[in-house]
Amino acid sequence: MPLPSSVLGLTGEPIHHRVDLRWLLSYSAGIGDTSSAAFGPDATAHPMFIVGPEWPAVLSVRRLGLEPGEDTRGVHASHDVTIHRPVRAGDELTTTATIVGVEAGRAGAATWLRLATVDAAGEAVATTYQRNVLLGVELRGDPASIDQAPPIPEPAQAADDRTCAPDVRTVDVTIGPQEAHIYTECSRIWNPIHTEWQAAADNWLAFLLLHGTATLAKSVSAVDDCGVTDGGGLAASSAGSRRRFRCRQHCASPRHPMDRSPPRCPMGRQRSASGRVFWRPE
């Protein structure tokens, strides 16, 4: 059934988590970031760890207005997060999700979520604006929004998408065929389109699709490895600092709804892929 635009403004139930050291360590290991502050004595989470506690809040509103099973068609399309302070083992976190925008698109209707995470004292820990596309689901009603993420500066880049202005740096990141399965378990973010071939085919994807948050986390680690911070890394950055990163992920395009052929490239033959991260130091 179509997604009704009346879901705009709906807020899900607050989701509570107690962050333990096991979760912090497994998240960093799951994205291959063994240099993360999580492995040090301070047990500080990778900056993108917050997506794990946010996931149940995402599900709490993604299902609103949809038929059973349609919520699994959600594909992560855009992500903007502000980390107000690092997450550490022992933190008690509460995340609340609100639908702040609805759009219509060629691949399907899209929702913008605002995810607000606070600690036990009610102090802000992270604020995220996330766009999700529901493959094959139409929007009923007019596109609208009640809030939006801060604008992201565009990197100066050549038209052929292969060369950049002198102040824009690039780094290549290799993605192995097992990445989605490892990330699913280590992040505690499960959506079968990332790991199960039949689920991918049912949602018109030609390949298993790596989580958007995994791509972003690997990009953040790559940028951090290149020394854009002055000691301590991104996880230890002060609450008042802000850095913007833009990354690109090459992924399968949604298939036509009437194409019921199985997805290509079975697991044993799937090849690694690579992406390129672009950013401008600030």
Side-chain angles (χ1 to χ4, degrees):
M1 63 177 284
L3 175 73
S5 60
S6 59
V7 299
L8 183 69
L10 295 182
T11 297
E13 291 294 324
I15 304 296
H16 306 282
H17 286 99
R18 184 181 188 278
V19 178
D20 57 19
L21 181 60
R22 178 182 179 183
W23 197 358
L24 297 189
L25 295 174
S26 63
Y27 186 87
S28 292
I31 58 173
D33 188 355
T34 56
S35 64
S36 170
F39 290 90
D42 293 335
T44 302
H46 184 279
M48 291 307 302
F49 169 82
I50 195 65
V51 300
E54 288 176 338
W55 176 241
V58 171
L59 293 180
S60 75
V61 293
R62 178 180 284 181
R63 299 186 177 105
L64 297 177
L66 298 175
E67 293 287 345
E70 288 183 330
D71 57 301
T72 62
R73 299 182 186 179
V75 176
H76 197 163
S78 181
H79 198 97
D80 186 294
V81 57
T82 298
I83 306 297
H84 302 289
R85 68 132 169 112
V87 176
R88 294 185 174 86
D91 277 344
E92 301 276 352
L93 303 179
T94 300
T95 302
T96 305
T98 301
I99 300 176
V100 297
V102 291
E103 302 173 353
R106 183 178 61 180
T111 59
W112 277 96
L113 306 182
R114 182 182 64 228
L115 300 154
T117 299
V118 300
D119 60 20
E123 297 296 325
V125 175
T127 304
T128 298
Y129 292 86
Q130 178 177 317
R131 181 173 179 265
N132 297 287
V133 176
L134 296 162
L135 300 177
V137 177
E138 297 180 352
L139 177 67
R140 184 174 69 237
D142 297 326
S145 66
I146 57 176
D147 192 13
Q148 58 186 352
I152 301 176
E154 289 284 349
Q157 188 171 336
D160 63 5
D161 201 37
R162 289 176 295 183
T163 59
C164 300
D167 63 337
V168 176
R169 306 180 189 178
T170 67
V171 62
D172 292 324
V173 178
T174 299
I175 306 298
Q178 78 289 353
E179 299 275 1
H181 298 78
I182 294 173
Y183 186 78
T184 291
E185 302 306 323
C186 291
S187 66
R188 306 183 189 179
I189 297 175
W190 178 76
N191 184 335
I193 65 170
H194 300 301
T195 55
E196 301 173 21
W197 287 103
Q198 190 58 55
D202 289 345
N203 290 287
W204 317 322
L205 296 171
F207 297 97
L208 296 181
L209 187 67
L210 182 64
H211 309 60
T213 56
T215 302
L216 183 55
K218 285 177 173 290
S219 301
V220 169
S221 293
V223 172
D224 199 21
D225 288 344
C226 291
V228 299
T229 55
D230 297 326
L234 290 171
S237 295
S238 65
S241 65
R242 170 175 290 189
R243 288 174 172 80
R244 293 291 194 176
F245 307 101
R246 178 175 296 275
C247 69
R248 290 175 173 79
Q249 176 186 9
H250 298 285
C251 60
S253 298
R255 300 191 297 176
H256 190 278
M258 297 305 293
D259 181 1
R260 309 308 297 166
S261 60
R264 291 173 283 167
C265 200
M267 185 67 185
R269 297 176 56 194
Q270 186 178 5
R271 296 178 297 175
S272 297
S274 63
R276 176 157 290 182
V277 183
F278 300 84
W279 80 94
R280 171 180 285 123
E282 295 183 359

